[in-house]
DNA sequence: CCTCAGGTAAGAG
DNA sequence: CTCTTACCTGAG
């Protein structure tokens, strides 16, 4: 059946560690390891499997709705704008970023559905990747579509509105339950909210998102970076905090000062730099 | 048994 | 605007 495999791109500048970190590193919780150098996951209503072989990335649709190569390329940010973004980052003059870019060659930002990113990052606070995955799966299983046995798709906020706080807490959400319920209500009352947010420039979009319960500065930046193609967004989580403090010598700096530094130093594609620094910092013990 | 986590919100200074 | 603390739950 290997004839089903299709090659994704001729010159996609990936590396094994780059694709692996892109899919499993924590910007999406939809992907799982399959065989060695293979990963499965849902993109909307399509169950897709990727394979890394001899320096090339291949894909196959396992089940669910048809998906085009163009849609996959967009999801994986395989168009030339990635190269442009990378070239605009100061990795030549910044040795910290340089090491990260070199180590995680081809690491990208996945372009995910904004609605789904909103949900998973509301649920992400103070939780590890496996915990977030599990929690998402519980919610998806309750309201989502079973695309393939064991694979449930993101149900959409209209259906999430049917989840009451008590029920959400019973799933193990803890204090995140009231965030989810509150956000579902807000979106129900303002159906075009996310579309509007997407059309505003970064800073305005960010402050709009922060009106949602459970969405603070970090989650808002994740939503904009992973779900709205706003590359200026620079989510500062504990890993980035560590990176800035230890690699960039910014201990004692205020969060607002770090944001300003990121904006000036990394520029309009700061979010891509963030992803490299994040991966480097998080894998620091494994790298040496 | 105790601490802390990939964060947010609320209250105080 | 900055700083502190509580908030659920589960892992270490």
């Amino acid at each position: 059946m290997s004839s089903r495999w299709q090659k994704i791109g001729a010159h996609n500048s990936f590396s094994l560690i780059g694709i692996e970190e892109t899919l499993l590193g924590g910007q999406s919780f939809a992907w799982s390891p399959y065989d060695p150098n293979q990963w499965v996951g849902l993109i909307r209503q399509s169950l897709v499997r990727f394979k890394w072989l001899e320096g090339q990335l291949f894909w196959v649709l396992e089940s669910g709705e048809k998906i085009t190569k163009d849609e996959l390329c967009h999801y994986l940010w395989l168009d030339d704008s990635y190269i442009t973004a990378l070239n605009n980052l100061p990795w030549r003059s910044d040795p910290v970023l340089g090491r990260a870019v070199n180590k995680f060659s081809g690491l990208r930002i996945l372009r995910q559905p904004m609605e789904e990113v909103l949900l998973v990052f509301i649920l992400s606070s103070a939780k590890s990747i496996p915990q977030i995955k599990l929690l998402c799966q519980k919610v998806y299983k309750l309201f989502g579509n079973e695309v393939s046995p064991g694979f449930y798709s993101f149900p959409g906020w209209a259906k999430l509105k049917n989840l009451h706080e008590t029920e959400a807490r019973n799933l193990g959400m803890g204090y995140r339950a009231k965030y989810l319920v509150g956000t579902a209500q807000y979106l129900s009352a303002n159906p075009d909210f996310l579309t509007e947010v997407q059309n505003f420039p970064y800073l305005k979009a960010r402050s709009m998102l922060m009106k949602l319960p459970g969405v603070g500065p970090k989650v808002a930046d994740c939503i904009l970076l992973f779900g709205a193609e706003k590359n200026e967004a620079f989510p500062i989580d504990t890993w980035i905090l560590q990176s800035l403090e230890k690699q960039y010598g910014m201990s004692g700096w205020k969060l607002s000062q770090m944001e300003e530094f990121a904006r000036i130093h990394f520029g309009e594609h700061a979010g891509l730099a963030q992803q490299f620094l994040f991966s480097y910092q998080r894998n620091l013990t494994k790298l040496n």
Side-chain angles (χ1 to χ4, degrees):
Chain A
M1 292 295 274
S2 57
S3 59
R4 298 175 307 159
W5 287 107
Q6 299 189 57
K7 193 186 280 191
I8 276 223
H11 49 77
N12 53 47
S13 74
F14 257 129
S15 68
L16 176 59
I17 189 169
I19 175 81
E20 185 146 51
E21 184 66 18
T22 299
L23 295 176
L24 306 179
Q27 45 175 313
S28 167
F29 304 98
W31 297 95
S32 308
Y34 195 79
D35 282 340
N37 298 358
Q38 291 191 33
W39 310 269
V40 274
L42 280 173
I43 303 176
R44 295 183 175 82
Q45 301 296 322
S46 311
L47 187 68
V48 173
R49 180 143 58 106
F50 288 122
K51 174 169 75 171
W52 178 258
L53 183 66
E54 295 168 356
Q56 291 289 338
L57 188 62
F58 296 83
W59 69 280
V60 63
L61 177 69
E62 291 279 314
S63 59
E65 289 180 9
K66 219 181 91 179
I67 189 165
T68 66
K69 187 174 160 182
D70 282 352
E71 288 172 307
L72 279 176
C73 285
H74 182 258
Y75 181 84
L76 290 171
W77 197 6
L78 286 171
D79 51 286
D80 287 343
S81 67
Y82 173 75
I83 307 297
T84 308
L86 194 57
N87 279 332
N88 277 327
L89 292 181
W91 53 267
R92 297 171 186 82
S93 57
D94 175 341
V96 178
L97 183 60
R99 277 194 292 277
V101 167
N102 185 48
K103 197 74 200 176
F104 291 94
S105 171
L107 178 70
R108 314 165 119 70
I109 308 292
L110 294 175
R111 286 160 164 168
Q112 306 170 68
M114 192 177 189
E115 295 200 341
E116 183 172 7
V117 177
L118 171 60
L119 171 70
V120 302
F121 280 93
I122 281 178
L123 297 182
S124 74
S125 93
K127 280 199 173 295
S128 65
I129 292 177
Q131 289 177 313
I132 301 164
K133 257 187 181 166
L134 204 61
L135 197 49
C136 290
Q137 279 167 16
K138 285 184 188 172
V139 179
Y140 288 16
K141 192 166 183 176
L142 221 44
F143 299 106
N145 173 36
E146 190 171 22
V147 175
S148 180
F151 289 90
Y152 296 85
S153 63
F154 169 70
W157 282 95
K159 286 187 182 170
L160 290 177
K161 192 170 174 286
N162 298 320
L163 187 60
H164 212 298
E165 183 174 336
T166 324
E167 200 179 355
R169 279 183 181 265
N170 287 338
L171 293 178
M173 276 183 209
Y175 60 81
R176 302 158 197 84
K178 63 177 183 300
Y179 297 157
L180 188 155
V181 171
T183 293
Q185 282 173 352
Y186 187 96
L187 293 180
S188 173
N190 308 276
D192 299 325
F193 180 73
L194 292 180
T195 313
E196 288 168 12
V197 165
Q198 212 159 0
N199 289 332
F200 278 104
Y202 166 62
L203 274 180
K204 171 68 177 169
R206 187 176 193 244
S207 63
M208 284 173 80
L209 279 176
M210 285 170 63
K211 289 192 294 192
L212 298 172
V215 179
K218 189 268 179 184
V219 169
D221 277 333
C222 285
I223 297 166
L224 292 172
L225 181 61
F226 304 143
E229 300 188 24
K230 300 223 182 282
N231 286 180
E232 313 97 297
F234 188 84
I236 300 182
D237 58 31
T238 58
W239 294 106
I240 291 300
L241 202 59
Q242 275 189 42
S243 177
L244 293 177
E245 286 175 345
K246 294 176 184 170
Q247 317 290 341
Y248 286 86
M250 293 171 72
S251 296
W253 287 47
K254 294 175 176 89
L255 225 52
S256 56
Q257 295 174 311
M258 290 176 168
E259 285 174 7
E260 188 184 1
F261 166 80
R263 182 171 54 74
I264 295 169
H265 180 63
F266 297 119
E268 58 178 332
H269 301 291
L272 181 58
Q274 186 269 3
Q275 205 57 35
F276 278 110
L277 297 179
F278 171 93
S279 296
Y280 191 84
Q281 194 66 29
R282 201 171 68 92
N283 291 291
L284 209 50
T285 50
K286 280 185 271 177
L287 290 175
N288 301 326

